[in-house]
Amino acid sequence: MYNALVRKEVMGILEKEVGSFLDKFLTPIEKIWQPSDYLPDPSSSDFKYDLEEIQTFAQEMPYDLFVTLIGDCITEEALPSYESWLMSVEGIDQEKSGPTWASWIRSWTAEENRHGDLLGKYLYLCGRVNMRQMEITTQYLISDGFDIGTSMDPYRNFIYTSFQETATNVSHRRVGTLAKQTGNGKLAKMCGVIAADEARHAKAYKHFVAKILELDPSEMILAFEDMMRKKIVMPAHMMRQSGQKAGELWGHFSDAAQRCMVYTGQDYINIMKDLLDEWKIEHVTGLTEKAEKAQEYLIKLPSRLQKITDRISTPDLQFEFNWVKK
């Protein structure tokens, strides 16, 4: 499918810059926010008031929006799957010393780990969540694993993470915006800082792709085409709840996110357009004949997807998630 030796060579060239990537795109641990910065302090005299505020606003959140928040948390909590997958990608060696791709993945994981911690504790405190059922879904999601269609190809994986980090930025930012509109300032801040992390991470992975486009443009264009033909599946696509098969819950969760306008088919198209612009795909030169055809496909894809999306309607019927207390 692809030349693994060339991939390793390109990854080796970029690995020399990993130290600068860590400095540019990640934040030192001593300086970055931690979940406790945004959660009520149990030792404070205001704790009872803060807890009551969290629980009141949680009860008032529209059902679909609240379900989307829970699903976003579960997605973040399945982080072990994402780290173990990326550690197996061609060109990543955990035994190397110094700033390496493995260093990047561990440091990126460490930043991402705070997201599930923050949202999980918020949801526990809010009193509206059946925590056992939410935890069962999370454990299933990690246990079931996932297949994002990238194989162990770094090019495809960087395309995927560029898209996915942008998508999670959109989702968290929208939940925060909708929460703020109802006066839920605490949740809005939590979602806002998580979204800001995702934006930085998206910027990093988009930068890696841009670098590879300079070194191996034809193969990167072909990898991009392949990922878009398959369609980007979300990392929680195997989501299920008690009594279901793997993946059976994903469609219902996706419908809920669309109904409350947190993440829609239009967002998918917009992200695709942004990536085409970011990487200047239309202006990449020196391509093989096959890559030129892939380039043409990519340039025309957003308009094709738009026609399809305009014809699709989101189901109106709400699904009853067992995560939410009755």
Side-chain angles (χ1 to χ4, degrees):
M1 186 175 70
Y2 61 86
N3 191 321
L5 289 175
V6 173
R7 298 296 207 260
K8 287 182 179 179
E9 183 180 353
V10 169
M11 288 290 281
I13 293 170
L14 291 182
E15 191 165 46
K16 296 171 184 175
E17 300 182 51
V18 166
S20 67
F21 297 158
L22 290 166
D23 292 338
K24 184 176 181 180
F25 298 113
L26 301 181
T27 304
I29 294 172
E30 296 292 340
K31 294 183 178 180
I32 202 168
W33 64 269
Q34 297 297 333
S36 57
D37 296 335
Y38 294 93
L39 292 163
D41 179 1
S43 65
S44 168
S45 58
D46 292 330
F47 179 70
K48 189 175 181 180
Y49 168 79
D50 291 337
L51 183 60
E52 185 179 340
E53 181 185 358
I54 284 174
Q55 295 186 343
T56 299
F57 277 115
Q59 290 297 331
E60 294 174 354
M61 281 183 75
Y63 187 83
D64 283 332
L65 182 61
F66 190 63
V67 162
T68 302
L69 173 64
I70 298 171
D72 282 351
C73 178
I74 291 168
T75 303
E76 296 285 358
E77 291 280 52
L79 196 59
S81 293
Y82 318 147
E83 181 182 30
S84 60
W85 181 277
L86 288 171
M87 279 294 192
S88 301
V89 167
E90 298 282 1
I92 295 176
D93 184 351
Q94 296 187 57
E95 296 182 350
K96 271 188 180 179
S97 58
T100 63
W101 281 117
S103 307
W104 167 267
I105 293 169
R106 285 194 295 268
S107 298
W108 167 80
T109 300
E111 283 202 358
E112 287 281 337
N113 187 64
R114 294 150 41 258
H115 302 168
D117 279 352
L118 175 56
L119 293 180
K121 288 168 184 170
Y122 171 86
L123 291 170
Y124 173 75
L125 291 173
C126 83
R128 191 181 174 187
V129 181
N130 183 325
M131 291 303 297
R132 178 173 174 78
Q133 292 302 329
M134 175 182 157
E135 289 157 358
I136 285 172
T137 296
T138 302
Q139 186 170 351
Y140 267 129
L141 189 56
I142 298 171
S143 177
D144 289 331
F146 68 156
D147 181 2
I148 52 177
T150 58
S151 69
M152 294 298 104
D153 177 12
Y155 295 10
R156 285 169 173 78
N157 275 282
F158 287 162
I159 291 288
Y160 180 85
T161 46
S162 295
F163 197 107
Q164 178 53 32
E165 293 283 20
T166 305
T168 51
N169 165 264
V170 170
S171 185
H172 288 301
R173 181 163 41 85
R174 291 257 177 81
V175 173
T177 299
L178 292 169
K180 189 174 183 179
Q181 289 173 359
T182 61
N184 193 345
K186 282 186 172 62
L187 179 58
K189 285 182 179 178
M190 293 178 196
C191 292
V193 293
I194 292 172
D197 277 1
E198 305 291 16
R200 272 191 300 106
H201 297 164
K203 191 174 180 181
Y205 287 110
K206 287 187 280 189
H207 181 71
F208 302 160
V209 172
K211 285 281 190 179
I212 296 171
L213 277 167
E214 295 173 7
L215 297 167
D216 195 6
S218 290
E219 284 300 308
M220 180 48 94
I221 291 283
L222 289 169
F224 191 8
E225 178 207 23
D226 180 61
M227 289 303 298
M228 297 317 299
R229 282 188 185 277
K230 292 173 181 172
K231 296 184 180 177
I232 300 291
V233 296
M234 296 297 117
H237 69 282
M238 298 294 279
M239 185 183 283
R240 58 161 135 172
Q241 61 184 28
S242 298
Q244 291 185 328
K245 296 177 182 178
E248 201 172 328
L249 190 61
W250 170 253
H252 297 298
F253 171 67
S254 181
D255 288 344
Q258 292 225 46
R259 278 194 298 268
C260 64
M261 301 299 290
V262 166
Y263 186 78
T264 67
Q266 188 61 53
D267 291 314
Y268 185 98
I269 296 170
N270 292 343
I271 293 171
M272 173 70 186
K273 287 179 179 176
D274 288 344
L275 294 179
L276 288 170
D277 291 341
E278 174 82 21
W279 296 322
K280 301 178 175 62
I281 296 298
E282 189 174 359
H283 304 292
V284 177
T285 57
L287 300 173
T288 63
E289 184 178 346
K290 189 177 180 182
E292 284 180 350
K293 290 179 181 177
Q295 180 185 42
E296 184 180 353
Y297 169 82
L298 290 167
I299 292 167
K300 292 179 179 178
L301 184 57
S303 61
R304 291 176 182 171
L305 291 176
Q306 191 68 61
K307 291 175 184 176
I308 296 169
T309 300
D310 289 344
R311 295 197 300 265
I312 296 174
S313 60
T314 304
D316 293 328
L317 186 63
Q318 285 185 340
F319 177 80
E320 190 172 300
F321 292 79
N322 66 10
W323 308 331
V324 183
K325 287 184 176 179
K326 295 180 181 179

